[in-house]
């Protein structure tokens, strides 16, 4: 059974930024109230934090930039609130496709195309 853990930030905080080698850049990013994140459980290992940390990927940031953080349970408890996944979240979680795309693959939209050709 797939479980998607999704969170929203309820209290802003700063987090240190690391480079691709795991070294501190000595700069910080502010995690803003209202930003939404999900736990990426497909990550085999955490780059910065230990194995007990959570790898969170931002859902509400710039769509052209992958933004992720690694935080521990105490940070999640203090700064985040768990969200219930929406129906669209479940579709994306299962196949990363919109419902109509899935129907098209299964040939379930032929009737729609036939009906629209009469317009």
């Amino acid at each position: 059974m797939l479980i998607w853990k999704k969170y929203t930030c309820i209290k802003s905080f700063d987090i240190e930024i690391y480079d691709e080698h795991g070294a501190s850049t000595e700069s910080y990013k502010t995690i803003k109230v209202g930003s939404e994140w999900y736990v990426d459980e497909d990550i085999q290992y955490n780059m910065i934090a230990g194995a007990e940390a959570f790898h969170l990927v931002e859902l509400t940031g710039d769509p052209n930039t992958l933004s992720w953080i690694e935080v521990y349970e105490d940070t999640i408890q203090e700064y985040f609130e768990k969200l219930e996944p929406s129906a669209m979240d479940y579709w994306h979680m299962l196949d990363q496709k919109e419902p109509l795309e899935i129907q098209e693959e299964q040939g379930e939209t032929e009737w729609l195309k036939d009906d629209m050709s009469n317009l």
Side-chain angles (χ1 to χ4, degrees):
M1 174 187 216
L2 293 171
I3 298 174
W4 199 24
K5 296 176 186 166
K6 185 174 172 182
Y7 295 91
T8 185
C9 180
I10 57 171
K11 182 175 154 186
S12 291
F13 67 100
D14 291 332
I15 193 163
E16 191 170 7
I17 298 173
Y18 293 83
D19 67 17
E20 65 275 7
H21 305 290
S24 174
T25 63
E26 298 185 13
S27 55
Y28 290 81
K29 173 181 178 163
T30 299
I31 307 302
K32 297 178 183 175
V33 170
S35 60
E36 293 184 0
W37 303 78
Y38 75 92
V39 177
D40 187 347
E41 295 180 345
D42 291 333
I43 296 297
Q44 304 262 328
Y45 62 92
N46 288 323
M47 184 168 188
I48 311 303
E52 64 278 358
F54 294 90
H55 185 95
L56 300 180
V57 178
E58 188 173 16
L59 294 167
T60 50
D62 179 354
N64 298 317
T65 305
L66 177 63
S67 181
W68 57 269
I69 59 176
E70 292 172 359
V71 296
Y72 294 98
E73 179 70 30
D74 60 334
T75 302
I76 287 180
Q77 289 179 3
E78 182 174 351
Y79 296 100
F80 292 92
E81 180 177 274
K82 190 171 184 178
L83 297 174
E84 292 301 317
S86 68
M88 189 60 73
D89 292 334
Y90 283 112
W91 278 312
H92 286 288
M93 184 173 41
L94 293 173
D95 201 321
Q96 299 294 319
K97 297 179 183 173
E98 297 295 328
L100 187 58
E101 290 174 312
I102 293 170
Q103 289 177 353
E104 286 174 347
E105 284 180 3
Q106 296 171 351
E108 296 176 4
T109 57
E110 289 304 315
W111 64 269
L112 180 61
K113 292 175 186 171
D114 291 341
D115 286 351
M116 303 235 355
S117 65
N118 296 329
L119 296 178

